Amino acid sequence: MKILIAASEAFPFCKTGGLADVTGALAQVFARTPDAEVVLFLPRYRNVGGGAFSPKACGGSFLIPVGNRVETATMSRVQWGKAAVYFIENPKYFDRPGMYRTAAGDYEDNDERFLFFSRAVLEGAKFIGFKPDVIHCHDWQTGLVPAYLRTLYRIDSFYAKTASVFTIHNIAYQGMFPKETLLKAGFTWLDFTPEKLEYYGGVNYMKAALAYADLITTVSPTYASEIQYRPEFGHGMEGLLKHRTSDLFGILNGIDEEIWDPATDTFLERGYELKSFQRGKAACKKALQKELDLEENKDLILAGVVSRLDHQKGLDTLLRVAPEFADKMQFVVLGSGDPGLADGFTALAAANPKRVAFRSGMDEALAHKIYGAADIFVMPSRFEPCGLSQMISMRYGTLPVVTRTGGLKDTVFYNGEPKDSNGFAIDHADEGQLRSVLGHIVSLYGWRENWNLMVRNAMRGDYAWHKSAEAYIKLFNIAIQRRQL
Ligand code: ADP
Ligand code: GLC
């Protein structure tokens, strides 16, 4: 099976969040499937290249129509394990300081940047002679690929049997643009109807994918249901999703168990496994307290956060509740995003220098150290399509404190009985509920046998990709069969 993955980010090349972890991991797990050949297409952003990977120019170029102009695309390639990674290059669109935005906001030409990328994926695959059986697209940035396949490329014999599968990682971001984008993207007014591309008078890339993809998946079973039946989760797409309910599947993400392995993690002060987690985590905690100039005290509960700073993550509730716990706990927060939240955590740390540390920006090394050192990981998300951080935490024996939503509900179990629990859960990102569960955690922490029982449950969980990868391959086969008919 020839699989083409089209995505706007993939670890280790470019990452703003879990999307990158997932597309990167999928490229590797699909490539290990017998008889699969995998290519991954990414934009060549400014920071790609150098380091461990040096993509080599493919030579030649091709043109992509954008409105009544044409733009040039070149490509470079790097072999990454068993997958080949192709970068679509155009300095005007991608050689910029940020991937999607700057501190001032989203790039104003994101419609052009990602219609260019989506179309260049289809032209690029032809350019290298890779005729995919299935194109697996991810989130709005690649939403036009399924639409192109069924419109502009409908009579293109190269793609006559190519199926498309679209995965929703976060339906809150849809790529909504004015109606003029329709023509820039090369569609005609005939495609501008509510069943196709039109959305409240404009063009919506996510909707385009949901209307045209052969099959749709999202990243957890609970989120698959929430986005169909709860408008506050569906963000306007619930009608279309219900209409396509028999084509929509929730497949839980996994984590890369080689990257996230406390036994071999070189960022940790001391590696550990199930049998040695007490000593290992104590050493990691001591080292992190020292590194961040926090009080070095092994008996204080250390609460960790590694997160995008965004309304989605509910961290404003933590910001309000944390001061009440600063005499009993320590908080280490690593986050990037919303400047208001960053200011809030900076102020909290300044007021409690020995109990609270805040670091802003993306920091891979510090993220690993926090997962290793912390006792609990706080993730009170308002919605969470899947969430990887709670699974990474559990693998590191760090008990997650989550809300019962999306993938958090599907992975964290808490019923008040330590023997059946692997973390803590509240119903909503609500100050009162967070206060109450943190209070419970403070009392339970002293009761070591029960605490360690929960840590063992968390560490024993299966967070690997194999089951989900199989589920994707099954769906790819179904989508491909449908195209043969
Ligand atoms: P989302 O994709 O919504 O941001 P996930 O839980 O699915 O949330 O994935 C987040 C991923 O990004 C995890 O691998 C997490 O460790 C990582 N991450 C988030 N913020 C940072 C940061 N500031 N520095 C390093 N890694 C981060
Ligand atoms: C999105 C979601 C997150 C999910 C990730 C990977 O960023 O917010 O919940 O884990 O995609 O699928």
Side-chain angles (χ1 to χ4, degrees), residues 10-27:
F11 186 82
F13 305 102
C14 38
K15 164 167 167 173
T16 66
L19 168 64
D21 294 291
V22 172
T23 53
L26 286 179

Side-chain angles (χ1 to χ4, degrees), residues 70-111:
V70 285
E71 298 288 346
T72 305
T74 56
M75 292 206 300
S76 49
R77 177 192 191 278
V78 71
Q79 187 66 32
W80 175 46
K82 288 188 168 166
V85 185
Y86 286 90
F87 296 94
I88 299 288
E89 301 171 337
N90 175 302
K92 183 176 85 179
Y93 289 136
F94 301 124
D95 186 7
R96 298 186 185 185
M99 285 164 55
Y100 312 120
R101 60 198 326 267
T102 60
D106 289 347
Y107 290 127
E108 283 185 5
D109 59 350
N110 272 346
D111 59 342

Side-chain angles (χ1 to χ4, degrees), residues 18-19 22 169-170 219 253 308 312-313 384-388:
L19 168 64
V22 172
H169 294 263
N170 195 339
V219 289
N253 287 332
R308 284 187 294 117
Q312 170 186 347
K313 302 293 177 182
E384 196 60 74
C386 180
L388 303 175

Side-chain angles (χ1 to χ4, degrees), residues 178-319:
K179 63 176 184 303
E180 289 70 27
T181 297
L182 183 87
L183 300 182
K184 276 196 219 166
F187 298 106
T188 70
W189 292 114
L190 289 177
D191 302 315
F192 199 61
T193 66
E195 299 75 50
K196 296 178 178 173
L197 298 173
E198 192 268 343
Y199 187 73
Y200 289 102
V203 177
N204 179 319
Y205 286 16
M206 171 74 72
K207 179 186 169 177
L210 303 183
Y212 284 103
D214 293 309
L215 292 177
I216 304 164
T217 75
T218 189
V219 289
S220 69
T222 293
Y223 194 60
S225 149
E226 286 170 343
I227 56 179
Q228 292 180 75
Y229 300 107
R230 313 237 336 240
E232 69 275 29
F233 289 90
H235 291 269
M237 294 295 136
E238 53 282 0
L240 178 52
L241 288 168
K242 262 185 282 184
H243 176 67
R244 298 215 56 189
T245 189
S246 59
D247 296 331
L248 170 63
F249 300 85
I251 303 180
L252 201 63
N253 287 332
I255 55 172
D256 186 321
E257 293 202 311
E258 277 172 29
I259 297 172
W260 301 110
D261 182 355
T264 57
D265 190 329
T266 50
F267 291 114
L268 299 190
E269 177 71 14
R270 175 182 180 147
Y272 56 91
E273 50 196 358
L274 195 59
K275 285 198 200 104
S276 53
F277 76 85
Q278 281 166 287
R279 262 175 296 140
K281 286 189 78 66
C284 293
K285 187 188 226 176
K286 191 163 191 251
L288 189 66
Q289 287 171 330
K290 193 167 179 345
E291 178 178 335
L292 301 177
D293 204 19
L294 292 168
E295 178 185 330
E296 288 177 47
N297 180 342
K298 68 176 173 29
D299 297 322
L300 279 174
I301 299 175
L302 181 66
V305 172
V306 178
S307 182
R308 284 187 294 117
L309 298 179
D310 186 282
H311 187 67
Q312 170 186 347
K313 302 293 177 182
L315 291 168
D316 47 313
T317 53
L318 177 64
L319 197 52

Side-chain angles (χ1 to χ4, degrees), residues 433-453:
Q433 293 187 22
L434 187 59
R435 183 177 296 117
S436 139
V437 75
L438 290 180
H440 173 59
I441 286 167
V442 169
S443 51
L444 189 75
Y445 191 64
W447 207 352
R448 265 325 167 92
E449 265 166 53
N450 281 335
W451 188 273
N452 291 343
L453 194 59

Side-chain angles (χ1 to χ4, degrees), residues 109-150:
D109 59 350
N110 272 346
D111 59 342
E112 265 190 44
R113 299 173 75 225
F114 290 103
L115 72 84
F116 171 84
F117 175 66
S118 296
R119 205 154 167 189
V121 165
L122 294 173
E123 291 300 324
K126 282 185 176 180
F127 189 73
I128 58 168
F130 184 86
K131 193 187 275 201
D133 296 302
V134 60
I135 305 188
H136 188 190
C137 305
H138 298 266
D139 269 359
W140 73 263
Q141 292 88 345
T142 54
L144 292 188
V145 174
Y148 280 139
L149 280 175
R150 298 293 160 261

